Each structure stands twice: as C-alpha cells, then as structure tokens.
Amino acid sequence: MVTMSDIAKEAGVSRLTVSVVLNRKKSAVRISDATRERVLSIARQMNYRHNEIATAIRRGTTNIIGVIGAFNGSYGLEMIKGIVSAADEHGLSCKLRIGNGSGVRPSDVNACLEYCVRGIICRAGSTAELSNIRVELEREKIPMVLLDSSTPDKWCSRVNSDDFNGGFQAARYLADNGFERILYAMHRASLESSFARWRYDGFTAGLGWKLKKQEVIYYKSTQNMDEEENRAIAAHIRRRKPDVIFCDNDYIALKTMSVLHASGIRIPEEISVAGFAGLDFTALTYPALTTVAQPFFEMGRVAVEELRFLIDGGSPRARLIETTLIKRQSVKERSGK
C-alpha cells in the first residue's frame, strides 16, 4: 500500500506537507500551488488511497456519520442523495442502516456506535424509540439530527419541509384562480400526524376559512385501491360537486384521479386535482399533477450541515426548508383572477 511517506519521497517534500495537501488541512506553513499540484499529481500516479481506519486509530475518532431509519420510496432516495452529496463535500463517509418499515431498530444504533460515528441522521422513529436512542447517544456524547420527523424532541436538531407554508401556497393558488367549491382529501390515519395537521392548517389559513366536515374526504389507505371505498368516494364527490380537490399527499391525489377517471369525470375540465410532496411519478400522470414539492434532496443536505454544526459544538435547533408549488395540467387556471 502506498503511504504518504512514499509520496513525500517521490515529491521531494516532507510527509507533513503531503498530509496537509491530501487531507486538505489548514496549516501555518504556506504551501505553493505548484507544490500542492505536484503532490496531488504524484498521489494520483501512485494510486494513493486514504486509509480512514489508520487515521481513525491515530485520531481516536472517525469521519463517519450514521444514517438510520425509514427511507422508503423515491423521496427517501432523494434524501439519501442529498445526505451523501453534502457528506462528501464535508469529507465525511456514511454508514447506512436503512430499515424497511417506519421504525428505528436498536441494532441500527448499535452498528453506528460500533463504527465510532461522529453523529447520526435519523428519519422517523416514535417518541419511545427516540427516548431509547437519546440515552445511548448522550452516554457516548454523539449528536443527532432528526430528518423529516414530526416528533417534537428538542434534544436533537430537526430538519423538515415547511408543510404549513406549502399548504398555504396551494390554497392561495386555488383561491386566486377562483375555486370556491373545494374538497380536501387525506388519509384517515393522518389525523394523528403533525405533518397532516401542518398542511391542513396552512391550507385553511390560505383559504381564509375553515372547511366543513363534509368538505373533507378520508381515505383508508394511501396506496391500496379498494373498490367499495372508491364507490363511496365517487358518490361523495358527486354529491358535493367540487370544482377542485386538494390532496394532502401525492398518493392520495393519484387515487383521487383514478376514481374520477373511472367515474367519467374529466380532469381538469370538470374537476381539478392538486397534491402534496412532488414525487417523481406526478409528472407522468394524466394529466400531469399540480403539486407542492417538498425539497427532499435539500433536506438531506441541510441535515448534514446541521450535524456538522452540532459536531462543532452548536446547540440543537429546528430548520424548515421551503416548499415549491409546481403548476401542471391537473388544475385548470381560470381567468379573472
């Protein structure tokens, strides 16, 4: 294995100079651009590879961060991409322990601790699970950032999209286009979710009035299609005769569009539909879905930045990342705004 001493000998410089260049360290000794380029060129020619394990043994710590929890679907992948992108910029490596469900496994935390991680980014997790994690991490003095989680824990930093403002944006857009007969569609289980509450509160704030009970559609699930439920939803829509249906997530919007298509109702000529999340399939629906896009990639990037902030001695804080309204063909824009 090629060492820094080998590179130093070939370049005619000290090992310290090679270490400063390759590890991008700050140094009181000025290193010229020519020397820096010569060291980097020789390192490439000799196929030098940084030995993180050896560095960790000398330093007593690693440049590894743990990433645990549920990162399902395309949105989870976007968060992971953001995390890896920012970690690379900060000279960090990621230890991924991604679960298939919605919870956080104790084995995931233990695996991170065994790798002597500098900190952990965690998505989801119940209050009980997070309490257990807190005990472990505070004992080892390891900071954590909660990503896309509605739990109110303040012992760690939190990074979320600004769902309240996203709901507000959507409502203002619909109101400005003259929509008055509005239905709001959501997953029944979302009644207990802070995310759903933030979106709903933002939406009603944007409208300027509270929705009546009969103006809200509750789905049993976000993805499974149930014929009996579909018939009930279709009957409710025919009774209410809305001119737009706002769905608090894109999966509900997809189900709603399916119900309307099956009922022979044209989108957006008869009823417009809008969603929330900005998932990749929304550009491929017919018609393409208007949706409030959550910045999943940026959320991952900010989570790493917040973890660096904590590692450097900062105090836990909450960050809200701005959402964006994507206007497509599923909403009929009206004249006389």
Side-chain angles (χ1 to χ4, degrees), residues 154-170:
K154 295 183 179 180
W155 59 273
C156 54
S157 284
R158 288 149 291 144
V159 175
N160 288 304
S161 60
D162 191 347
D163 286 16
F164 180 94
N165 189 55
F168 187 91
Q169 281 180 292

Side-chain angles (χ1 to χ4, degrees), residues 75-228:
Y75 55 91
L77 178 59
E78 283 301 305
M79 287 187 228
I80 291 293
K81 287 180 180 178
I83 291 171
V84 172
S85 173
D88 186 58
E89 290 178 10
H90 287 280
L92 300 168
S93 299
C94 298
K95 172 65 176 176
L96 303 180
R97 294 282 296 189
I98 309 304
N100 294 323
S102 60
V104 178
R105 300 169 298 189
S107 59
D108 297 333
V109 179
N110 291 333
C112 289
L113 295 179
E114 289 171 358
Y115 272 77
C116 301
V117 297
R118 301 287 300 280
I120 287 178
I121 295 173
C122 174
R123 181 173 185 268
S126 66
T127 301
E129 289 171 334
L130 292 174
S131 294
N132 293 332
I133 293 175
R134 179 178 184 177
V135 172
E136 292 288 338
L137 298 189
E138 288 187 341
R139 180 188 301 126
E140 302 295 332
K141 295 181 173 57
I142 295 176
M144 187 175 83
V145 173
L146 271 177
L147 174 59
D148 194 34
S149 175
S150 62
T151 55
D153 296 79
K154 295 183 179 180
W155 59 273
C156 54
S157 284
R158 288 149 291 144
V159 175
N160 288 304
S161 60
D162 191 347
D163 286 16
F164 180 94
N165 189 55
F168 187 91
Q169 281 180 292
R172 291 310 315 153
Y173 171 63
L174 298 180
D176 287 347
N177 276 284
F179 292 103
E180 295 179 351
R181 300 192 308 277
I182 297 172
L183 281 181
Y184 189 100
M186 64 188 301
H187 183 206
R188 184 171 293 278
S190 295
L191 292 171
E192 304 302 321
S193 165
S194 295
F195 291 131
R197 176 54 58 185
W198 295 335
R199 294 172 192 178
Y200 179 85
D201 288 348
F203 190 80
T204 55
L207 289 179
W209 70 83
K210 296 293 184 182
L211 294 169
K212 299 175 183 177
K213 182 178 180 181
Q214 59 269 32
E215 293 175 322
V216 181
I217 301 173
Y218 296 108
Y219 280 91
K220 295 178 183 177
S221 67
T222 56
Q223 298 183 47
N224 296 330
M225 301 300 291
D226 182 307
E227 288 304 318
E228 181 179 351

Side-chain angles (χ1 to χ4, degrees), residues 1 30 300:
M1 177 180 290
R30 185 180 182 278

Side-chain angles (χ1 to χ4, degrees), residues 99 241 266 268:
K241 295 182 175 60
R266 294 173 301 158

